[in-house]
Amino acid sequence: MDVPLPLFALFLAAFAFGTTEFVIAGILPDVAHGLGVSIPFAGYLVSGYALGIAIGGPFLTMATRQVSRRTILLALTTAFCLGQVACALAPSFASMLVFRVATAVAHGAYFGIAMVVAVGLVPQAFRGRAVSVILAGLTVSNIIGVPAGAAIGGLWGWRTTFWAMTVVGALALVAIWVLIPQTKAEPRQSGHLGKEVRVLGRQQVWTSLIMMLALMIGQMVPFTYITPLLQEVTGLDAMVIPWVLLLNGVGATLGVFIGGRLSDWRLMPSLIALLAIQAVTLSILYMVSPYPLAMTVTIFVWGALNFAIGTPIQARILMWTADAPSLASSLIPSGFNIGIAIAAVVGAALLEGGYGYRSLPVLGAVALILACVVAILSAAGEKRSGAVPPKTVLT
């Protein structure tokens, strides 16, 4: 499938949102110093952003469900630009936190709406690949945006990073304005909100959300502590670790497109196979963690599989909520960020319990095994029932 130009516009905005979410980690010490707080306290800028996505995104999506999707995409990208300007000018930590959370609410709403728009721009056979283009914005932001933003902050100060992000957001805004076709507003319907909520009761939806949470545990429990794991267990020098993480990001980008193609081919068999392979990969990650070369190769494969799995899970949620997509689609970024929060807490509990960094991939393997079982049971139930996905409602 050639990438339609409207998908490029959605990709660019996804890249902007992804970069501003993750770049804070690269400039956190400078931000802390500039705003007069400790580095651990400045870490609330990260958790605050995650909560803004998880909680605020669905509410904003539902509040704007009767606005045309093109209009809301333009509004959310404008909010992104204003948020970056506000962060660049923030006089205090409190104001910076407020501006970050506000941007995160727009972030949470953007990804849900952008995915619905993306699948509506392509034939049904290419929906998985359309979702993969949006997800690629996140992975490319980690490969290019975050290192570039951190480098800009190191050279010209952390506030310059946010000015640079404003420019990227402005380019995305122009692209959406020019390339996204006009859409009509969703007609008012009595009981519409109840309909949106009821689709979450479909087993294909809630089982996919369970798989999403398990995936994030398998991904983020080890990744949150990947630097000390590579330093203390693998014995890598601190200067080498960014290159290993870059390789992980390259794998993630490849995985997005692989997952998109597999989703369009045979979604559930592919998803079950990927979950099983990832459980094995996490077990291998545990076994090879003392060996630098083997560990590096396994991290590349692990990164590719993480995002290869994420694509069909999201495509499945969108497929089975196509008749009432607003709330369900906004729950995708919320589910991921809730998973991130759970992973951080669980990982910390393991380490505080004295299990050590090497134990983290083991927990991830267990989570992926459970996800694989859920996927098998869900696919079997779907086959028995003979249920078919609802038709897409485009607005």
Side-chain angles (χ1 to χ4, degrees):
M1 179 191 74
D2 295 329
V3 177
L5 283 176
L7 288 185
F8 172 76
L10 298 175
F11 163 87
L12 187 58
F15 171 82
F17 276 110
T19 299
T20 205
E21 177 179 10
F22 299 119
V23 76
I24 194 71
I27 58 175
L28 196 63
D30 294 333
V31 173
H33 177 75
L35 297 178
V37 297
S38 67
I39 293 175
F41 195 78
Y44 285 114
L45 295 174
V46 177
S47 55
Y49 198 98
L51 288 175
I53 294 173
I55 299 173
F59 284 104
L60 180 59
T61 301
M62 292 308 298
T64 58
R65 67 186 185 275
Q66 291 177 336
V67 179
S68 77
R69 292 195 176 117
R70 180 178 183 271
T71 300
I72 192 60
L73 288 174
L74 289 169
L76 294 172
T77 311
T78 300
F80 170 87
C81 295
L82 294 175
Q84 304 317 293
V85 171
C87 288
L89 300 173
S92 65
F93 176 82
S95 60
M96 179 75 163
L97 181 60
V98 170
F99 299 146
R100 287 278 294 173
V101 171
T103 304
V105 173
H107 178 141
Y110 173 82
F111 275 89
I113 295 169
M115 286 182 186
V116 173
V117 172
V119 299
L121 290 170
V122 299
Q124 184 169 349
F126 296 112
R127 286 179 178 178
R129 273 169 273 188
V131 171
S132 73
V133 171
I134 310 301
L135 286 181
L138 286 178
T139 60
V140 174
S141 73
N142 279 279
I143 296 172
I144 298 174
V146 172
I152 289 170
L155 289 172
W156 296 295
W158 63 269
R159 293 183 187 272
T160 310
T161 299
F162 290 102
W163 287 117
M165 290 310 307
T166 305
V167 174
V168 176
L171 292 174
L173 183 63
V174 172
I176 291 173
W177 177 271
V178 173
L179 298 176
I180 298 296
Q182 293 285 349
T183 59
K184 60 184 179 180
E186 184 175 321
R188 292 183 180 273
Q189 301 176 27
S190 60
H192 183 80
L193 180 58
K195 179 183 178 184
E196 293 269 350
V197 173
R198 282 195 299 274
V199 302
L200 302 182
R202 292 173 184 158
Q203 70 91 352
Q204 293 87 352
V205 178
W206 59 260
T207 53
S208 295
L209 290 172
I210 291 173
M211 286 182 266
M212 180 185 292
L213 291 176
L215 173 65
M216 295 314 296
I217 291 173
Q219 178 180 346
M220 294 306 298
V221 168
F223 192 79
T224 301
Y225 304 97
I226 193 68
T227 297
L229 173 61
L230 291 172
Q231 285 179 324
E232 297 186 19
V233 179
T234 313
L236 292 182
D237 185 88
M239 298 300 292
V240 176
I241 291 174
W243 295 102
V244 176
L245 298 182
L246 175 63
L247 192 61
N248 178 269
V250 172
T253 302
L254 293 174
V256 163
F257 292 105
I258 292 170
R261 288 190 173 274
L262 291 174
S263 298
D264 293 333
W265 177 52
R266 296 185 67 188
L267 194 152
M268 284 310 293
S270 298
L271 179 56
I272 292 167
L274 288 170
L275 289 168
I277 295 169
Q278 185 69 316
V280 174
T281 302
L282 282 159
S283 301
I284 294 172
L285 198 68
Y286 164 78
M287 291 186 286
V288 304
S289 56
Y291 308 104
L293 180 59
M295 183 66 165
T296 301
V297 172
T298 307
I299 283 176
F300 170 80
V301 175
W302 171 59
L305 286 169
N306 282 327
F307 281 82
I309 295 169
T311 302
I313 289 176
Q314 292 176 83
R316 191 177 193 230
I317 292 173
L318 292 171
M319 178 188 302
W320 284 94
T321 59
D323 56 336
S326 297
L327 176 61
S329 63
S330 69
L331 286 176
I332 291 175
S334 293
F336 277 117
N337 280 274
I338 291 170
I340 290 171
I342 292 172
V345 172
V346 171
L350 272 179
L351 296 176
E352 290 172 359
Y355 287 96
Y357 295 111
R358 197 180 177 188
S359 68
L360 302 179
V362 177
L363 177 62
V366 172
L368 267 294
I369 290 170
L370 293 175
C372 188
V373 172
V374 170
I376 292 170
L377 294 175
S378 177
E382 183 179 320
K383 186 175 181 179
R384 283 196 306 270
S385 69
V388 295
K391 293 182 178 180
T392 304
V393 175
L394 296 179
T395 59

